[in-house]
Amino acid sequence: MPQPLDLSASSIDITRAICDIESVSGNEGALADAIEAALAPLDHLDVVRDGDAIVARTDLGRDRRVVIAGHIDTVPLNDNLPTEFRTTDDGTEILWGRGTVDMKAGCAVQLKLAVDLVAPNVDVTWVFYDHEEVSDALNGLGRLARTRPELLAGDFAILGEPSGAQIEGGCNGNLRAEVRTFGKRSHSARSWIGDNAIHKTAPILATLAAYEPRTVTVDGLEYREGLNAVGISGGIAGNVIPDEAMVHVNYRFAPSRSAEEAVAHIRELFDGYDVTIVDLAAGARPGLDAPLAQQFVAAVGGPAPRPKYGWTDVARFSALGVPAVNYGPGEPVFAHHDDEQVPVAQITAVEDGLRRWLTA
């Protein structure tokens, strides 16, 4: 059984402690138990458990509420636990190991502040949720949004996704489509009898190669879109003309475009082809025009907010009408990397930024 969490320790040490409690998606129970056990005794928090998601709320009667959330699961291990403190060639002190970036350093900051901030200037809902790294249907935040949306109610939300300790507003939407072509099988020695479905994918690939993705300004942030083939399949045997082929297309679209508009765009581009939408997630506008967001940006300081190009769970808050941003320690390029690592200075920076804002 894992050691009880010592939340009087530094957020850096808490990061190491929760990373060393292995919690690959589907195995979050032990970490959820440890978080619940550490927060439940605190008089200033009302703690609710839903599956392996832990929600801890202040109830101070403030006129505004902020939701600060992070997922506690990780992708599978690859000889990268337990964690280690290391120093890079340029002298940067890092914590190395699975989960340090995505996204237990952010969760550790939340835990530290949940304990320390007995009377923040807004009511705060701290959310630690499960199953982010797997199927959308299993996502703990999505489950709460469907079954207990009152627990996620707020005026502003922050997701502790790795952002290099900088504020990243909103996120792009994400669409995946299968574009199919059809032909007729025949022996390759008599190919003129058949109709080659793989050859028919050429116009699809030409459309993708010629496509010029947009850069769209949304509430002051520039979101870069992308439309790409990410897979192609077809063929039966080395001597058979194939009767079916499929190009797997991924579309990252700016949050100014709705999910329905994104689907319509793809169907227009590939008019005449068999198009199946296999995954669709709307983006989220930056949320930086909300008064709480502006106060947050001022309190954090540093570089101006930038857009989040990938999809994150801020979109779930946006769908609930809650403006949301990403703000967490760790560089996104190290997420899921076998060499996952977070500069310890970024953990402290995020803690300091949130603390200043919640106590100003």
Side-chain angles (χ1 to χ4, degrees), residues 180-345:
R180 286 183 169 79
T181 58
F182 301 94
K184 181 180 178 182
R185 290 192 194 188
S186 74
H187 196 295
S188 60
R190 299 175 181 82
S191 58
W192 58 89
I193 296 175
D195 185 12
N196 196 312
I198 291 178
H199 291 179
K200 289 183 174 182
T201 66
I204 299 170
L205 299 176
T207 296
L208 292 167
Y211 187 84
E212 295 185 5
R214 306 183 305 166
T215 296
V216 184
T217 300
V218 183
D219 298 341
L221 299 185
E222 291 190 346
Y223 291 84
R224 297 181 61 179
E225 295 191 331
L227 181 68
N228 292 280
V230 293
I232 187 165
S233 61
I236 298 99
N239 59 353
V240 177
I241 299 300
D243 60 348
E244 183 175 340
M246 184 270 285
V247 180
H248 195 157
V249 175
N250 181 232
Y251 180 35
R252 301 286 177 155
F253 55 96
S256 58
R257 180 168 267 171
S258 70
E260 293 74 20
E261 289 169 336
V263 171
H265 181 58
I266 292 302
R267 292 197 182 280
E268 180 182 8
L269 277 175
F270 301 110
D271 185 35
Y273 291 95
D274 182 280
V275 176
T276 302
I277 306 300
V278 294
D279 190 25
L280 178 63
R285 298 184 74 90
L288 295 171
D289 53 352
L292 277 173
Q294 294 171 5
Q295 294 167 17
F296 174 58
V297 171
V300 169
R306 61 190 183 187
K308 172 67 81 173
Y309 296 128
W311 189 91
T312 74
D313 277 327
V314 294
R316 300 187 191 278
F317 287 109
S318 182
L320 292 171
V322 181
V325 300
N326 306 275
Y327 179 61
E331 299 297 338
V333 293
F334 281 106
H336 301 187
H337 200 291
D338 288 342
D339 196 27
E340 194 169 344
Q341 56 184 264
V342 61
V344 297

Side-chain angles (χ1 to χ4, degrees), residues 9-16 104-105 108-109 112 347-348 351:
S10 71
S11 55
I12 296 168
D13 288 334
I14 295 171
T15 301
R16 188 174 195 185
K104 290 184 178 179
V109 169
K112 181 64 177 175
I347 302 174
T348 303
E351 178 188 341

